[in-house]
Amino acid sequence: MESSRATTRRHLPTSPFAPRTAAPIKTFEIGDRVSHDREGIGRISAVEGTHAVVVDLGGGRLLRVMSPFDKLHTL
């Protein structure tokens, strides 16, 4: 008996279901105004590649948000 391997399933053209597509990666620039679902409104103060950003929430509070940026939205 052969062991099963993890493979991706191919999409059949006759299928009534839409193929899965990856969500676009959010990108941010320094100075962008953003809203965090839990922490509130802030401004991007540093970008660490595509994997993390630092948000200045005011009053000396900084928040480092790792990707995926599900809870971070641009204003």
Side-chain angles (χ1 to χ4, degrees):
M1 179 179 242
E2 291 184 32
S3 64
S4 63
R5 289 190 246 167
T7 60
T8 57
R9 294 180 180 233
R10 64 185 175 98
H11 178 72
L12 298 175
T14 57
S15 173
F17 303 104
R20 294 182 183 174
T21 56
I25 298 173
K26 292 182 182 179
T27 58
F28 299 98
E29 295 181 11
I30 295 175
D32 285 350
R33 299 270 305 169
V34 293
S35 173
H36 189 272
D37 288 348
R38 187 182 313 153
E39 302 296 330
I41 296 175
R43 187 176 301 272
I44 301 291
S45 63
V47 177
E48 301 172 0
T50 58
H51 63 276
V53 295
V54 178
V55 180
D56 182 8
L57 299 169
R61 294 183 343 169
L62 295 176
L63 175 68
R64 186 170 188 242
V65 181
M66 302 293 290
S67 103
F69 307 109
D70 293 335
K71 295 185 178 185
L72 199 62
H73 311 281
T74 57
L75 297 177

Coordinates of all heavy atoms in Angstrom, one line a residue:
M1 N 0.8 -1.2 0.0 CA 0.0 0.0 0.0 C 0.9 1.2 0.0 O 1.8 1.3 0.8 CB -0.9 0.0 1.2 CG -1.8 1.2 1.4 SD -2.8 1.0 2.8 CE -4.4 1.0 2.0
E2 N 0.6 2.2 -0.9 CA 1.4 3.4 -1.0 C 0.9 4.4 0.0 O -0.3 4.5 0.3 CB 1.3 4.0 -2.4 CG 2.0 3.1 -3.4 CD 1.9 3.7 -4.8 OE1 1.9 5.0 -4.8 OE2 1.9 3.0 -5.8
S3 N 1.8 5.2 0.5 CA 1.4 6.3 1.4 C 0.9 7.5 0.6 O 1.3 7.7 -0.5 CB 2.6 6.8 2.3 OG 3.6 7.3 1.4
S4 N -0.1 8.1 1.1 CA -0.7 9.3 0.4 C 0.2 10.5 0.6 O 0.7 10.7 1.7 CB -2.1 9.5 0.9 OG -2.1 9.9 2.2
R5 N 0.3 11.3 -0.4 CA 1.1 12.5 -0.4 C 0.1 13.7 -0.5 O -0.9 13.6 -1.1 CB 2.1 12.6 -1.5 CG 3.2 11.6 -1.3 CD 4.3 11.9 -2.3 NE 4.3 10.8 -3.3 CZ 4.9 10.8 -4.4 NH1 5.5 11.8 -4.8 NH2 5.0 9.7 -5.2
A6 N 0.5 14.8 0.1 CA -0.3 16.0 0.0 C -0.1 16.6 -1.4 O 1.0 16.9 -1.8 CB 0.1 17.0 1.1
T7 N -1.1 16.7 -2.1 CA -1.1 17.3 -3.4 C -2.2 18.3 -3.6 O -3.2 18.3 -2.9 CB -1.2 16.2 -4.6 OG1 -2.5 15.6 -4.4 CG2 -0.2 15.2 -4.5
T8 N -2.0 19.2 -4.5 CA -3.1 20.1 -4.8 C -4.0 19.5 -5.8 O -3.6 18.9 -6.7 CB -2.5 21.5 -5.3 OG1 -1.7 21.2 -6.5 CG2 -1.6 22.1 -4.3
R9 N -5.3 19.8 -5.6 CA -6.3 19.2 -6.5 C -6.4 20.2 -7.7 O -6.4 21.4 -7.5 CB -7.6 19.1 -5.8 CG -7.6 18.1 -4.7 CD -8.9 17.9 -4.1 NE -8.9 17.0 -3.0 CZ -9.7 16.0 -2.9 NH1 -10.7 15.8 -3.8 NH2 -9.7 15.1 -2.0
R10 N -6.6 19.6 -8.8 CA -6.8 20.5 -10.0 C -8.2 20.9 -10.2 O -9.1 20.1 -9.7 CB -6.2 19.8 -11.3 CG -7.0 18.5 -11.6 CD -6.3 17.9 -12.8 NE -7.0 16.6 -13.1 CZ -7.9 16.5 -14.1 NH1 -8.3 17.5 -14.8 NH2 -8.5 15.3 -14.3
H11 N -8.4 22.0 -10.7 CA -9.8 22.5 -10.9 C -10.3 22.0 -12.3 O -9.7 22.2 -13.3 CB -9.8 24.0 -10.9 CG -11.2 24.6 -11.2 ND1 -12.2 24.5 -10.2 CD2 -11.7 25.2 -12.2 CE1 -13.3 25.1 -10.7 NE2 -13.0 25.5 -11.9
L12 N -11.5 21.4 -12.2 CA -12.1 20.9 -13.5 C -12.9 22.0 -14.1 O -13.6 22.7 -13.5 CB -13.0 19.7 -13.2 CG -12.4 18.5 -12.6 CD1 -13.4 17.4 -12.2 CD2 -11.4 17.9 -13.5
P13 N -12.7 22.2 -15.4 CA -13.4 23.3 -16.1 C -14.9 23.2 -16.1 O -15.7 24.2 -16.2 CB -12.9 23.2 -17.6 CG -12.1 22.0 -17.7 CD -11.8 21.5 -16.3
T14 N -15.5 22.0 -15.9 CA -16.9 21.8 -15.8 C -17.5 21.9 -14.4 O -18.7 21.8 -14.2 CB -17.3 20.4 -16.4 OG1 -16.6 19.4 -15.6 CG2 -16.9 20.3 -17.8
S15 N -16.6 22.2 -13.5 CA -17.0 22.3 -12.1 C -17.9 23.6 -11.9 O -17.5 24.7 -12.4 CB -15.8 22.4 -11.1 OG -16.3 22.6 -9.8
P16 N -19.0 23.5 -11.1 CA -19.8 24.7 -10.9 C -19.2 25.6 -9.8 O -19.6 26.7 -9.6 CB -21.1 24.2 -10.4 CG -20.7 22.9 -9.8 CD -19.6 22.3 -10.6
F17 N -18.1 25.2 -9.1 CA -17.5 26.0 -8.1 C -16.3 26.7 -8.6 O -15.6 26.2 -9.5 CB -17.0 25.0 -6.9 CG -18.1 24.2 -6.4 CD1 -18.3 22.9 -6.7 CD2 -19.1 24.8 -5.5 CE1 -19.3 22.1 -6.2 CE2 -20.1 24.0 -5.0 CZ -20.2 22.7 -5.3
A18 N -16.1 27.9 -8.1 CA -15.0 28.8 -8.6 C -13.7 28.2 -8.0 O -13.7 27.7 -6.8 CB -15.2 30.2 -8.1
P19 N -12.6 28.3 -8.7 CA -11.3 27.8 -8.2 C -10.9 28.7 -7.0 O -11.2 29.9 -7.0 CB -10.4 27.9 -9.3 CG -10.9 28.9 -10.2 CD -12.4 28.8 -10.0
R20 N -10.1 28.1 -6.1 CA -9.6 28.9 -5.0 C -8.5 29.8 -5.5 O -7.6 29.4 -6.2 CB -9.0 28.0 -3.9 CG -10.1 27.2 -3.2 CD -9.5 26.3 -2.2 NE -10.5 25.5 -1.6 CZ -10.2 24.6 -0.7 NH1 -9.0 24.4 -0.3 NH2 -11.2 23.8 -0.2
T21 N -8.5 31.1 -5.0 CA -7.5 32.0 -5.4 C -6.9 32.6 -4.1 O -7.7 32.8 -3.1 CB -8.0 33.2 -6.3 OG1 -9.1 33.8 -5.6 CG2 -8.5 32.6 -7.6
A22 N -5.6 32.8 -4.1 CA -5.0 33.4 -2.9 C -5.4 34.9 -2.8 O -5.5 35.6 -3.8 CB -3.5 33.3 -3.0
A23 N -5.6 35.3 -1.5 CA -5.9 36.7 -1.3 C -4.7 37.6 -1.5 O -3.6 37.1 -1.3 CB -6.4 36.9 0.2
P24 N -4.9 38.8 -2.1 CA -3.7 39.6 -2.4 C -3.1 40.0 -1.1 O -3.7 40.2 0.0 CB -4.3 40.8 -3.1 CG -5.8 40.8 -2.7 CD -6.1 39.4 -2.5
I25 N -1.7 40.2 -1.1 CA -1.0 40.5 0.1 C -1.1 42.1 0.3 O -0.9 42.8 -0.7 CB 0.5 40.1 -0.1 CG1 0.6 38.6 -0.2 CG2 1.3 40.7 1.1 CD1 2.0 38.1 -0.5
K26 N -1.5 42.5 1.5 CA -1.6 43.9 1.7 C -0.2 44.5 1.9 O 0.7 43.9 2.4 CB -2.3 44.1 3.0 CG -3.8 43.7 3.0 CD -4.5 44.1 4.3 CE -5.9 43.7 4.4 NZ -6.5 43.9 5.7
T27 N 0.0 45.7 1.3 CA 1.2 46.4 1.4 C 1.0 47.7 2.1 O -0.1 48.4 1.8 CB 1.9 46.6 0.0 OG1 1.0 47.3 -0.8 CG2 2.3 45.3 -0.6
F28 N 1.9 48.2 2.9 CA 1.8 49.5 3.6 C 3.1 50.3 3.4 O 4.2 49.7 3.1 CB 1.6 49.2 5.1 CG 0.3 48.5 5.4 CD1 0.4 47.1 5.6 CD2 -0.9 49.1 5.4 CE1 -0.8 46.4 5.9 CE2 -2.0 48.4 5.7 CZ -2.0 47.1 6.0
E29 N 2.9 51.6 3.4 CA 4.1 52.5 3.3 C 4.2 53.3 4.6 O 3.1 53.6 5.3 CB 4.0 53.4 2.1 CG 4.0 52.6 0.8 CD 3.9 53.6 -0.4 OE1 4.0 54.8 -0.2 OE2 3.7 53.1 -1.5
I30 N 5.3 53.8 4.9 CA 5.5 54.7 6.1 C 4.7 55.9 5.9 O 4.6 56.6 4.8 CB 7.0 55.1 6.2 CG1 7.8 53.8 6.5 CG2 7.2 56.1 7.3 CD1 9.3 54.0 6.6
G31 N 3.9 56.3 6.9 CA 3.0 57.4 6.9 C 1.6 57.1 6.6 O 0.7 58.0 6.7
D32 N 1.3 55.9 6.2 CA -0.1 55.5 5.9 C -0.9 55.5 7.2 O -0.5 55.0 8.3 CB -0.2 54.1 5.3 CG 0.2 54.0 3.9 OD1 0.4 55.1 3.3 OD2 0.4 52.9 3.4
R33 N -2.2 56.0 7.1 CA -3.1 56.0 8.3 C -3.8 54.6 8.2 O -4.3 54.2 7.2 CB -4.1 57.1 8.2 CG -3.5 58.5 8.2 CD -3.4 59.1 9.5 NE -4.7 59.1 10.2 CZ -4.8 59.3 11.5 NH1 -3.7 59.6 12.2 NH2 -6.0 59.3 12.1
V34 N -3.8 53.9 9.4 CA -4.4 52.6 9.4 C -5.4 52.5 10.6 O -5.3 53.3 11.6 CB -3.3 51.5 9.5 CG1 -2.6 51.4 8.2 CG2 -2.4 51.7 10.7
S35 N -6.2 51.5 10.6 CA -7.1 51.2 11.7 C -6.9 49.7 12.0 O -6.9 48.8 11.2 CB -8.5 51.4 11.3 OG -9.4 50.9 12.3
H36 N -6.6 49.4 13.3 CA -6.5 48.1 13.8 C -7.8 47.7 14.5 O -8.4 48.5 15.2 CB -5.3 48.0 14.8 CG -5.0 46.6 15.2 ND1 -5.5 46.0 16.2 CD2 -4.1 45.7 14.7 CE1 -5.1 44.8 16.4 NE2 -4.2 44.6 15.4
D37 N -8.3 46.5 14.3 CA -9.6 46.1 14.8 C -9.6 46.2 16.3 O -10.7 46.5 16.9 CB -9.9 44.6 14.4 CG -10.2 44.5 12.9 OD1 -10.4 45.6 12.3 OD2 -10.3 43.4 12.4
R38 N -8.6 45.9 17.0 CA -8.6 45.9 18.5 C -8.0 47.2 19.1 O -8.5 47.8 20.1 CB -7.9 44.7 19.1 CG -8.1 44.6 20.6 CD -7.3 43.5 21.2 NE -7.5 42.2 20.4 CZ -6.6 41.2 20.4 NH1 -5.5 41.3 21.1 NH2 -6.9 40.1 19.7
E39 N -6.9 47.7 18.5 CA -6.1 48.8 19.1 C -6.6 50.2 18.6 O -6.2 51.2 19.3 CB -4.6 48.6 18.8 CG -4.1 47.3 19.3 CD -4.1 47.2 20.8 OE1 -4.0 48.2 21.5 OE2 -4.2 46.1 21.3
G40 N -7.2 50.3 17.5 CA -7.7 51.6 17.0 C -6.9 52.2 15.9 O -6.3 51.5 15.1
I41 N -6.9 53.5 15.8 CA -6.3 54.2 14.6 C -4.9 54.6 14.9 O -4.6 55.0 16.1 CB -7.2 55.5 14.3 CG1 -8.6 55.1 13.9 CG2 -6.5 56.3 13.3 CD1 -9.5 56.2 13.6
G42 N -4.1 54.5 13.9 CA -2.7 54.8 14.1 C -2.0 55.1 12.7 O -2.7 55.3 11.7
R43 N -0.7 55.3 12.7 CA 0.0 55.6 11.5 C 1.2 54.7 11.4 O 1.9 54.4 12.4 CB 0.5 57.1 11.6 CG 1.2 57.5 10.3 CD 1.5 59.0 10.4 NE 0.4 59.9 10.6 CZ -0.4 60.4 9.7 NH1 -0.1 60.1 8.4 NH2 -1.4 61.2 10.0
I44 N 1.5 54.2 10.2 CA 2.6 53.3 10.0 C 3.9 54.0 10.2 O 4.2 55.1 9.6 CB 2.6 52.7 8.6 CG1 1.3 51.9 8.3 CG2 3.9 51.8 8.3 CD1 1.2 50.6 9.1
S45 N 4.8 53.5 11.1 CA 6.1 54.2 11.4 C 7.2 53.5 10.9 O 8.3 54.0 10.7 CB 6.2 54.5 12.9 OG 6.3 53.3 13.6
A46 N 7.1 52.2 10.6 CA 8.2 51.4 10.0 C 7.6 50.2 9.3 O 6.6 49.6 9.7 CB 9.1 50.9 11.1
V47 N 8.3 49.8 8.2 CA 7.9 48.6 7.4 C 9.1 47.7 7.4 O 10.2 48.1 7.0 CB 7.5 49.0 6.0 CG1 7.2 47.8 5.1 CG2 6.4 50.0 6.0
E48 N 8.8 46.5 7.8 CA 9.9 45.5 7.8 C 9.7 44.4 6.7 O 9.2 43.3 7.0 CB 9.9 44.8 9.2 CG 10.2 45.8 10.3 CD 10.0 45.2 11.7 OE1 9.7 44.0 11.8 OE2 10.2 45.9 12.7
G49 N 10.0 44.8 5.5 CA 9.7 43.9 4.4 C 8.2 43.7 4.1 O 7.4 44.6 4.3
T50 N 7.9 42.5 3.8 CA 6.5 42.1 3.6 C 5.9 41.4 4.8 O 4.8 40.9 4.7 CB 6.3 41.3 2.3 OG1 7.1 40.1 2.4 CG2 6.7 42.1 1.1
H51 N 6.7 41.2 5.8 CA 6.2 40.3 6.9 C 5.9 41.0 8.2 O 5.3 40.4 9.1 CB 7.3 39.2 7.2 CG 8.6 39.8 7.7 ND1 9.6 40.2 6.8 CD2 9.1 40.0 8.9 CE1 10.6 40.7 7.5 NE2 10.3 40.5 8.8
A52 N 6.1 42.3 8.4 CA 5.8 43.0 9.6 C 5.7 44.6 9.4 O 6.5 45.1 8.5 CB 6.7 42.7 10.7
V53 N 4.9 45.2 10.1 CA 4.9 46.7 10.2 C 4.8 47.2 11.6 O 4.3 46.4 12.5 CB 3.7 47.3 9.3 CG1 3.8 47.0 7.9 CG2 2.4 46.8 9.9
V54 N 5.3 48.4 11.9 CA 5.1 49.0 13.2 C 4.2 50.1 13.1 O 4.3 51.0 12.2 CB 6.5 49.4 13.7 CG1 6.4 50.1 15.1 CG2 7.5 48.3 13.8
V55 N 3.2 50.1 14.0 CA 2.1 51.1 13.9 C 2.3 52.0 15.2 O 2.4 51.5 16.3 CB 0.7 50.5 13.9 CG1 -0.4 51.5 13.9 CG2 0.6 49.5 12.8
D56 N 2.3 53.3 15.0 CA 2.4 54.3 16.0 C 0.9 54.7 16.4 O 0.2 55.3 15.6 CB 3.1 55.5 15.6 CG 3.3 56.6 16.7 OD1 2.9 56.3 17.9 OD2 3.7 57.7 16.4
L57 N 0.5 54.3 17.6 CA -0.9 54.5 18.0 C -1.1 55.8 18.8 O -2.2 56.1 19.2 CB -1.4 53.3 18.9 CG -1.3 52.0 18.2 CD1 -1.6 50.9 19.2 CD2 -2.4 51.9 17.1
G58 N 0.0 56.6 18.9 CA -0.1 57.8 19.7 C 0.2 57.6 21.1 O 0.0 56.5 21.7
G59 N 0.6 58.6 21.8 CA 0.9 58.5 23.2 C 2.1 57.6 23.5 O 2.2 57.1 24.6
G60 N 3.0 57.4 22.6 CA 4.2 56.6 22.8 C 3.9 55.1 22.6 O 4.8 54.3 22.9
R61 N 2.7 54.7 22.2 CA 2.4 53.3 22.1 C 2.7 52.9 20.7 O 2.3 53.5 19.7 CB 0.9 53.1 22.3 CG 0.5 53.3 23.7 CD -1.0 53.0 24.0 NE -1.7 52.9 22.7 CZ -3.0 52.4 22.6 NH1 -3.6 52.0 23.7 NH2 -3.6 52.3 21.5
L62 N 3.5 51.8 20.6 CA 3.9 51.2 19.3 C 3.3 49.8 19.3 O 3.3 49.1 20.3 CB 5.4 51.2 19.1 CG 6.1 52.6 19.0 CD1 7.6 52.4 18.9 CD2 5.6 53.3 17.8
L63 N 2.9 49.4 18.1 CA 2.3 48.0 17.9 C 3.0 47.4 16.7 O 3.0 48.0 15.6 CB 0.8 48.1 17.7 CG 0.1 46.8 17.4 CD1 0.2 45.9 18.6 CD2 -1.3 47.1 17.0
R64 N 3.6 46.2 16.9 CA 4.2 45.5 15.7 C 3.2 44.5 15.3 O 2.8 43.6 16.1 CB 5.5 44.8 16.2 CG 6.2 44.2 15.0 CD 7.6 43.7 15.5 NE 8.4 43.3 14.4 CZ 8.9 42.1 14.3 NH1 8.6 41.2 15.2 NH2 9.5 41.7 13.2
V65 N 2.8 44.6 14.0 CA 1.8 43.7 13.4 C 2.5 42.8 12.4 O 3.1 43.3 11.5 CB 0.7 44.5 12.8 CG1 -0.4 43.5 12.2 CG2 0.0 45.4 13.8
M66 N 2.4 41.5 12.6 CA 3.0 40.5 11.7 C 2.0 40.2 10.5 O 0.8 40.3 10.7 CB 3.3 39.2 12.4 CG 4.3 39.4 13.6 SD 5.9 39.9 13.0 CE 6.5 38.4 12.3
S67 N 2.5 39.8 9.4 CA 1.6 39.4 8.3 C 1.0 38.0 8.6 O 1.7 37.2 9.3 CB 2.4 39.4 7.0 OG 2.7 38.2 6.6
P68 N -0.1 37.6 8.2 CA -1.0 38.4 7.3 C -1.7 39.5 8.1 O -2.0 39.4 9.3 CB -2.1 37.4 6.9 CG -2.1 36.3 8.0 CD -0.7 36.3 8.5
F69 N -2.0 40.6 7.5 CA -2.5 41.8 8.1 C -4.0 41.8 8.1 O -4.6 42.7 7.6 CB -2.0 43.0 7.4 CG -0.5 43.1 7.3 CD1 0.2 42.9 6.1 CD2 0.3 43.2 8.4 CE1 1.5 42.9 6.0 CE2 1.7 43.2 8.3 CZ 2.3 43.1 7.1
D70 N -4.6 40.7 8.7 CA -6.1 40.6 8.7 C -6.8 41.7 9.5 O -7.9 42.1 9.2 CB -6.5 39.2 9.2 CG -6.1 38.1 8.2 OD1 -5.9 38.4 7.0 OD2 -5.9 37.0 8.7
K71 N -6.2 42.1 10.6 CA -6.8 43.1 11.5 C -6.4 44.5 11.2 O -6.8 45.4 12.0 CB -6.5 42.7 13.0 CG -7.1 41.4 13.4 CD -6.9 41.1 14.8 CE -7.5 39.8 15.2 NZ -7.4 39.5 16.6
L72 N -5.6 44.7 10.2 CA -5.1 46.1 9.9 C -5.7 46.5 8.5 O -5.6 45.8 7.5 CB -3.6 46.0 9.8 CG -2.8 47.3 9.9 CD1 -3.1 47.9 11.3 CD2 -1.3 47.0 9.8
H73 N -6.3 47.7 8.5 CA -6.9 48.3 7.3 C -6.5 49.7 7.1 O -6.4 50.5 8.0 CB -8.5 48.2 7.5 CG -9.0 46.9 8.0 ND1 -9.1 45.8 7.1 CD2 -9.4 46.5 9.2 CE1 -9.6 44.8 7.8 NE2 -9.7 45.2 9.1
T74 N -6.2 50.0 5.8 CA -5.9 51.4 5.5 C -7.1 52.3 5.5 O -8.2 51.9 5.3 CB -5.2 51.5 4.1 OG1 -6.1 51.0 3.2 CG2 -3.9 50.8 4.1
L75 N -6.9 53.6 5.9 CA -7.9 54.6 5.9 C -7.8 55.5 4.7 O -6.9 55.7 4.1 CB -7.9 55.4 7.2 CG -8.0 54.6 8.5 CD1 -7.9 55.5 9.7 CD2 -9.4 54.0 8.5

